[in-house]
Each structure stands twice: as structure tokens, then as C-alpha cells.
Amino acid sequence: MGLFETFKIPVREFMNYFHALECGYREIPYHNRIHATDVLHAVWYLSTQPIPGLPTVINDHGSASDSDSDSGITHGHLGYVLSKTYSPGDDSYGCLAGNIPSLELMALYVAAAMHDYDHPGRTNAFLVATSAPQAVLYNDRSVLENHHAAAAWNLFMSRPEYNFLVNLDHVEFKHFRFLVIEAILATDLKKHFDFVAKFNAKVNDDVGIDWTNENDRLLVCQMCIKLADINGPAKCKDLHLRWTKGIVNEFYEQGDEETSLGLPISPFMDRSAPQLANLQESFISHIVGPLCNSYDSAGLMPGKWVDDNDESGDTDEQEEEDAAEMDTCENPESRKKRRKIYCQITQHLLENHQMWKKVIEEEERTAGIEKPTLEQPALHQPSEQIESIKEEEEEKGKPKGEEESTALETSQ
């Protein structure tokens, strides 16, 4: 993409640091170096692949036309870089990297690599409940996310041979570090609904996303890494199930430790009472689905235009019907005016959501003799009802909302 050339990154120092960073990820079922690599790949994909209808505000990708530079960064490093794999075919496509200056884009990628560094395989709630050193250090607030950022930067600064940013000047380095930290802290799911609400408000206001505004671009990057961090349900079925196996095994390990410590077992973490389908269906309905819909409604999701006679559009009617169940922010009128778009991410998400709903229905049918299906309405509420309940619980701190947030926290 030209980042090495733009910032004169020394290869030896770069390899030294990222090898050490990789080695600092623990051998645990989910939050390991493979997850970090997966999130890095996801932000690369979301930022480099063609996006139907995205306007590109930069006429010349080698230079910046914005002048918001409150950060004090020189215009030379406010330039833009595009992936060599980016080949939109026509000007009806855009690319996120075409609207994000190269320093901010590099910060997004570095944040993805750092974002779960030295993850212990336990949730924030567990660390707080057990008064872990990290929880005490960070006053019980975004404990893991603060630890990941601080530990990764501590590693970077520990040896001069790790300094791949040696050619950034003082102002650029400070701003770069700020952007990386902000992106990592955004992955705390306890702040999830606040981020989604803020993003929806920005997308739906009179101006929308202002690509010349640094704060707007930061919010987009935060949404991008959040989506990348919880992209498991948006993968094909086989990969989704493999990641699901990893997270439930990590959950069960925490449940085992909670039992040994005499603590209540957290929701979904009791291996003697598995609730895999409920966990994933709830995670998609309450967390991943609304996030994807928000990101898509902003016109930021990679995909392709679908012609009326295109076979890949055969699933559009079912896709729109299913998406309505998880839709939380898109104006119905604006949807009608949009050309049809095929997006592999949302297609996989919808297919996996339907799969888990069918599993739940089958489980309820099997257990129907002993247990009436009284819980079914709670599992399949209309999306508007789910969204309003979810936001109220997050704001008012109702027990059910707190329980869900705790249970789903390490699905990042």
C-alpha cells in the first residue's frame, strides 16, 4: 500500500517489534495471535476493498485536499495510499483508504495488531470481581483494553530496535499514538451501544460523515475496528463455527475458575449447561447485527452492485426480509432509493443468524414435552423492541443488560 515508503519504515525494526508483539499473545482458545491476525486482516479488507457508491473526497490519492490539520501533521503525511489489490472497475465505487489519510490508516492497522495483546482469557467483569492487578491499576474501567494498549506501547518503547516509527517527527508520533489508543479503547463492548448511537446520529444528521473532519474519520476508524473485532458471525459457516468453538472454550475455562474460587458462574460459561445457540443468536441480534446495519447504512460496507438480471441478487428479497429483524438505524425511505448491493459480510451474517435460530427452535421442540415454549417470544422479539430494550438497559444499568454485556464481553 505504500505505507513503508511513505513513512520510511525500517524493515528490521518493524519485524523485530511485530514478532515480539506476536509472541506476547498467550496460547489461549480465542484471544490469541490468530485472532489478532484475523482482526488486522479484517480492517485491511474493510479499508481497501471497493465500496459501492462511496464518494471519494480526494482527487489525487497522492496528496491531501483536506485542511483540518488541527493535529499539526504536515500535509506530506496527510497523503493517501491505496492497496494494490484495489481495482474498482468504475467510478461508482469508492474505497475507505481513499478517504483516510495514511497516518490514520497506519494507526488503524497497528491498533488491530495490538488490540488484544497479553489477553489473559478472562473478561473485564472477572478481573474486577477478583480484584486483579490490572483492574486495580485501571480503576475497574475498560481494564483489558487499557492493559492491551499500555502493554503493547510499553513493549514498543522497551528497546530501540523495536522503533519502526523512528522517522515520524514528535508531533506525528504523539498523534499516531493517540489514534492507536483511541482505536483499541473503542473495542470495549461495554461502550458498544454508545459508539453505535453516536455513529448513527452522525450518519443521519444534516451533514453526515465529513471526511475533512478528523473527529469524523476517527469515529469511522473506531467503528471499523469494532466490526473487525467481532466479525466471527460474518464469516462463512465453517469459519464461524471454528471461532465459536474457541470463544466457548475460553468461556468454559473462566467458568471453571469461577467455580474453583467459589464465585457464581457467569452466563454462558457453565460447561455443564451449554447454551451455545442462545449465546450466538443473542450476540448477533444485540451486538453484531446492529453494528453491521449501522456501518452499512453509512455506505461503508464493501460489496458490489447487483443488476436486476444478476444471479447473485437472487437472495436479495430474503436478505432484506431477514435484515429487517436486526435493522436498527436505516431510514426505510433511503433504503428504497438505494440500488441493490450484494455484500458477502452481511450475507454470511444473515445465514449464520438463521442457522442459530433454527437450532434454538429445534432445541425448544425437543424439550417441548418437559418445558413449554414460553421463552420463545423473548428470544425472537421484533428488532425495534430488542433495540429499545437494549439501549435502555445500557443507560439505566438494569440487571439483564449488565448480564448480557458481561456474558458477551470476550466475544470481541
Side-chain angles (χ1 to χ4, degrees), residues 26-245:
R26 305 188 191 186
E27 295 295 330
I28 53 181
Y30 186 85
H31 291 99
N32 49 45
R33 60 183 181 172
I34 302 174
H35 169 68
T37 305
D38 179 66
V39 174
L40 174 56
H41 175 265
V43 294
W44 173 85
Y45 179 87
L46 291 169
S47 62
T48 62
Q49 298 309 291
I51 300 172
L54 179 68
T56 301
V57 298
I58 306 304
N59 295 320
D60 178 3
H61 289 291
S63 62
S65 62
D66 61 38
S67 58
D68 69 304
S69 196
D70 295 333
S71 59
I73 307 299
T74 61
H75 278 274
H77 280 176
L78 276 175
Y80 294 72
V81 292
L82 292 178
S83 170
K84 295 177 182 178
T85 65
Y86 176 69
S87 54
D90 63 65
D91 58 8
S92 67
Y93 290 86
C95 174
L96 194 61
N99 291 345
I100 304 291
S102 53
L103 187 74
E104 296 170 25
L105 193 66
M106 182 168 71
L108 177 62
Y109 295 161
V110 171
M114 289 181 171
H115 87 283
D116 272 333
Y117 178 73
D118 192 39
H119 197 297
R122 301 293 182 265
T123 64
N124 277 330
F126 178 89
L127 297 179
V128 171
T130 56
S131 298
Q134 303 97 317
V136 175
L137 178 62
Y138 298 112
N139 300 311
D140 299 344
R141 298 174 184 174
S142 300
V143 175
L144 285 167
E145 293 73 25
N146 274 301
H147 173 67
H148 302 321
W153 278 111
N154 223 8
L155 175 68
F156 174 84
M157 296 173 180
S158 65
R159 301 174 66 175
E161 54 265 39
Y162 291 162
N163 188 9
F164 66 96
L165 301 172
V166 63
N167 289 311
L168 295 185
D169 65 32
H170 178 74
V171 174
E172 289 169 339
F173 176 78
K174 289 295 183 183
H175 187 58
F176 179 85
R177 180 169 138 76
F178 164 79
L179 293 170
V180 171
I181 292 171
E182 289 299 301
I184 294 173
L185 293 180
T187 62
D188 182 359
L189 281 182
K190 195 154 193 177
K191 299 178 180 177
H192 178 80
F193 303 124
D194 291 336
F195 270 107
V196 173
K198 182 180 179 181
F199 185 74
N200 289 343
K202 167 52 62 178
V203 170
N204 294 318
D205 70 15
D206 293 337
V207 178
I209 297 171
D210 179 1
W211 294 105
T212 67
N213 185 297
E214 188 175 345
N215 291 327
D216 284 11
R217 296 195 304 264
L218 174 58
L219 181 58
V220 169
C221 288
Q222 288 171 319
M223 290 291 285
C224 180
I225 195 171
K226 283 172 61 59
L227 179 55
D229 191 26
I230 56 175
N231 80 88
K235 296 182 182 295
C236 65
K237 179 181 176 181
D238 178 59
L239 286 176
H240 170 48
L241 292 176
R242 287 169 65 181
W243 283 112
T244 299
K245 180 180 178 181

Side-chain angles (χ1 to χ4, degrees), residues 349-362:
L349 181 65
L350 292 164
E351 290 170 356
N352 289 325
H353 189 228
Q354 289 299 314
M355 174 188 70
W356 291 117
K357 286 168 65 176
K358 288 178 181 177
V359 171
I360 291 172
E361 291 169 2
E362 183 60 32

Side-chain angles (χ1 to χ4, degrees), residues 359-378:
V359 171
I360 291 172
E361 291 169 2
E362 183 60 32
E363 289 176 349
E364 290 173 346
R365 191 178 301 113
T366 302
I369 298 176
E370 296 118 14
K371 176 184 172 186
T373 57
L374 295 176
E375 294 182 6
Q376 186 167 343

